[in-house]
Amino acid sequence: EVQLVESGGGLVQPGGSLRLSCAASGFIFRGYDMSWVRQAPGKGPEWVSTINSGDSYTYYADSVKGRFTISRDNAKNTLYLQMNSLKPEDTAVYYCARSQDWYRRRRDSWGQGTQVTVSS
């Protein structure tokens, strides 16, 4: 069974930084493209970033391009999201997911998420 555990969220001031982690188990992590998805209060889920299984290609939503960096350590079965120059608009619950599970909106495979709050 796919299990994903996000961590690293918290309260940060505008312009600050956070590094999110996602510990994966229950599947062969190195064989899957992985994504970060976020959901702000009262809004639907929004795709943030994707990294391919071979750790050679990355993709970002326009809203975070140049500020966020996705990475992975296949030996540790862990996905990361480095978030710099944070804005209040980045406030949301952040989830990691296998990209195929984002495409299919398989919410039960996204993990519990971690809260990121950007505020003065």
Side-chain angles (χ1 to χ4, degrees):
E1 181 180 354
V2 173
Q3 293 212 36
L4 300 167
V5 180
E6 298 93 343
S7 62
L11 175 64
V12 64
Q13 293 186 338
S17 297
L18 286 172
R19 190 190 193 213
L20 308 184
S21 297
C22 170
S25 62
F27 64 101
I28 302 175
F29 179 76
R30 65 181 180 274
Y32 288 85
D33 296 353
M34 297 294 297
S35 295
W36 286 97
V37 176
R38 67 187 182 186
Q39 187 165 18
K43 297 186 176 181
E46 175 191 20
W47 172 77
V48 174
S49 184
T50 292
I51 186 167
N52 78 319
S53 61
D55 191 17
S56 56
Y57 298 97
T58 58
Y59 307 90
Y60 299 93
D62 288 343
S63 58
V64 307
K65 195 171 299 180
R67 300 187 297 120
F68 291 9
T69 303
I70 190 171
S71 62
R72 66 193 296 162
D73 187 338
N74 285 341
K76 296 183 180 296
N77 290 350
T78 302
L79 181 73
Y80 303 98
L81 186 67
Q82 179 66 46
M83 309 164 65
N84 298 328
S85 301
L86 283 161
K87 304 175 180 180
E89 302 94 291
D90 296 318
T91 296
V93 178
Y94 284 71
Y95 303 90
C96 63
R98 300 188 302 184
S99 293
Q100 65 181 38
D101 295 328
W102 157 245
Y103 299 150
R104 294 166 174 77
R105 303 296 192 270
R106 292 188 60 87
R107 178 62 177 81
D108 58 348
S109 297
W110 296 4
Q112 82 290 341
T114 185
Q115 176 70 49
V116 172
T117 302
V118 185
S119 176
S120 299

